[in-house]
Amino acid sequence: MAGKRKPKVAKAKQDDLAKPSKWRLQHGSFSEPIRAADPETGTPVQHRRAVDTLGMMLASGSITPQMHEAGEIFRGLFRAACFDSMSTSQLLRIPGSRVDTLSTMQIEARRRVAAALDLLGGHESPCGSCAWFVVGLEFSVREWSMRQGWAGRTVHGPVGQGILVGTLGTLAMHFGLTPRAKAA
């Protein structure tokens, strides 16, 4: 006598690991894959670069190459200053050692970031806040403008993009990428 057949259980479809996931694609586009060799092993790999806000603005002509370079300099200093990293505890603890010591490179990068933010009007100013979140922490202009506001009002998208353009122009002048206008 034949028993009842059990229904087949559908296997979960696995994502293709060579492509970005659906979740990642909804948060921004990627460039076409670039084939290269891994520097350590020499095996061929494909790199996909996430398109950033400054790159998209440069491609559309919203900002100049000098403004883009100023944003990259600020982002590099921001990373070197370790403002974007999450602090972790050491697994191996050595008695008498301190974890929170800063290197001279980090101190110099923090000094230069602070000088740039002072030029932009400080952390609480629109340009300073835009530099910190959009350029340094790499938030999108939309994310930053939704969470930022002054006088009880949020910043609208086009206004946020204008603030970013002004911020990058000021940073380009600060880093010596564009000449200062001479007073008449």
Side-chain angles (χ1 to χ4, degrees):
M1 217 166 134
K4 286 188 173 181
R5 287 189 162 184
K6 293 182 181 179
K8 291 186 178 179
V9 178
K11 292 183 180 178
K13 188 177 178 181
Q14 293 184 352
D15 291 336
D16 184 8
L17 297 179
K19 297 179 181 176
S21 66
K22 282 184 183 178
W23 178 86
R24 180 57 187 98
L25 286 173
Q26 75 183 5
H27 293 285
S29 57
F30 282 84
S31 66
E32 289 298 315
I34 300 168
R35 294 187 59 87
D38 186 11
E40 293 179 8
T41 62
T43 58
V45 293
Q46 279 188 343
H47 297 284
R48 291 181 184 264
R49 184 175 176 274
V51 179
D52 61 336
T53 303
L54 298 181
M56 290 188 323
M57 290 178 76
L58 180 64
S60 71
S62 301
I63 60 173
T64 64
Q66 292 85 4
M67 291 176 173
H68 182 266
E69 182 66 24
E72 292 295 324
I73 291 170
F74 185 83
R75 186 178 292 159
L77 289 171
F78 198 85
R79 287 181 182 156
C82 294
F83 285 135
D84 61 343
S85 63
M86 182 173 63
S87 61
T88 58
S89 62
Q90 292 180 341
L91 295 176
L92 178 65
R93 298 180 192 266
I94 301 170
S97 67
R98 292 182 47 143
V99 178
D100 58 350
T101 57
L102 296 174
S103 69
T104 55
M105 184 182 83
Q106 289 172 330
I107 293 170
E108 179 62 21
R110 286 182 180 208
R111 187 192 62 74
R112 291 185 65 193
V113 166
L117 288 175
D118 285 344
L119 179 75
L120 294 170
H123 285 79
E124 297 297 320
S125 71
C127 288
S129 174
C130 184
W132 185 273
F133 287 102
V134 177
V135 181
L137 291 175
E138 300 182 44
F139 281 27
S140 69
V141 176
R142 184 174 160 267
E143 287 175 318
W144 169 74
S145 61
M146 284 176 43
R147 69 179 293 183
Q148 189 64 45
W150 288 272
R153 296 182 179 166
T154 59
V155 177
H156 296 290
V159 175
Q161 190 169 7
I163 292 171
L164 177 59
V165 170
T167 299
L168 293 173
T170 306
L171 286 174
M173 190 178 67
H174 174 67
F175 292 128
L177 301 172
T178 57
R180 293 183 185 266
K182 294 183 180 180

